[in-house]
Amino acid sequence: MPSTSPETPSLAPPGAGLPFPELWIARLLFSFSRWSYQRETATDSFRREQNNIELLLTQCPPDSKNRRILIPRLRGLEDSSRDWSIWMTLDHLRITNTAFANIIRNLAQNVVPSGVASTAAVKPSPHATSLVLQAYTDSCSEFLKVIQENPNLDTTVQFAHPWFGSMNAESWHLLAGLHMRIHRKQIEAILEQLH
């Protein structure tokens, strides 16, 4: 149940997903992106967003990175995810980059990962601190290492994403950069309200 206290905004619960019209459009756009997938472009997109995020971090006063900031909901961002600090955003990316790397590694080895992907299961710790920065950086390196070590991502085995359905390793690779972009925009929105 959403919180109604003055300190915590009333938001949809984690895992509630996107409004249906937005989800329908996201599925359509992602389907087109999957059709036009290029390995190098997807990797470059991930690296570019990692670099953009690192640059944004230098623009934020150190004592403000733990402040939770309520931003307007961005396209592709669940309602429950719009009241995060910068450290929380990096913690979420740490969790998801690691998950993407593990999923791709398994699919490339012709193994369907166990369990079910869930947006509710990858929410960050509300107590994330500067300690998350190295773990986030490590998760980016691990993701890129898995891509480099697996030249064929056009796998026949698939693993389902909660919004986009069954996806092979190529699609998970593509999604990682798009996902980083959404949260880079989130960090930009947080910084706008901090300045």
Side-chain angles (χ1 to χ4, degrees), residues 20 28 32 57 70 81 85 91 98 107 111-112 120 128 131 133 156 165-167 174-175 178:
F20 181 74
L28 188 64
F32 176 76
L57 292 177
L70 181 66
S81 302
S85 68
D91 192 38
T98 301
L107 293 177
V111 174
V112 178
L131 295 176
L133 180 57
T156 54
S166 291
M167 306 199 313
L174 175 66
L175 182 62
L178 298 172

Side-chain angles (χ1 to χ4, degrees), residues 50-92:
Q50 180 185 3
N51 292 336
N52 289 340
I53 288 170
E54 288 172 4
L55 180 61
L56 289 170
L57 292 177
T58 67
Q59 300 171 18
C60 181
D63 59 349
S64 296
K65 291 177 183 164
N66 64 343
R67 283 184 54 198
R68 292 178 76 152
I69 302 292
L70 181 66
I71 63 168
R73 196 182 66 77
L74 305 172
R75 279 194 303 257
L77 190 71
E78 281 191 330
D79 188 56
S80 62
S81 302
R82 64 187 186 93
D83 182 35
W84 291 356
S85 68
I86 287 178
W87 292 142
M88 289 174 68
T89 307
L90 292 188
D91 192 38
H92 169 70

Side-chain angles (χ1 to χ4, degrees), residues 53 56 86 89-90 183-191:
I53 288 170
L56 289 170
I86 287 178
T89 307
L90 292 188
H183 291 287
R184 183 258 300 163
K185 290 180 178 179
Q186 179 178 14
I187 292 172
E188 288 174 341
I190 291 171
L191 287 175

Side-chain angles (χ1 to χ4, degrees), residues 30 34 37 103-104 107-108 152-160 165-175:
F30 188 60
R34 289 166 77 174
Y37 167 86
I103 290 166
I104 291 168
L107 293 177
N152 180 21
L153 301 180
D154 186 15
T155 60
T156 54
V157 292
Q158 301 189 347
F159 185 64
S166 291
M167 306 199 313
N168 68 3
E170 281 186 348
S171 296
W172 284 98
H173 179 206
L174 175 66
L175 182 62

Side-chain angles (χ1 to χ4, degrees), residues 46 93-115 117 122 138-147 149-150 153 155 157-159 167-170 172-173 176:
F46 184 92
L93 289 172
R94 170 193 66 81
I95 295 166
T96 53
N97 289 342
T98 301
F100 289 156
N102 288 333
I103 290 166
I104 291 168
R105 183 185 293 112
N106 276 278
L107 293 177
Q109 295 172 354
N110 208 37
V111 174
V112 178
S114 60
V122 294
D138 291 346
S139 76
C140 292
S141 298
E142 176 65 14
F143 176 82
L144 292 168
K145 180 173 179 253
V146 167
I147 298 304
E149 291 176 347
N150 293 281
L153 301 180
T155 60
V157 292
Q158 301 189 347
F159 185 64
M167 306 199 313
N168 68 3
E170 281 186 348
W172 284 98
H173 179 206

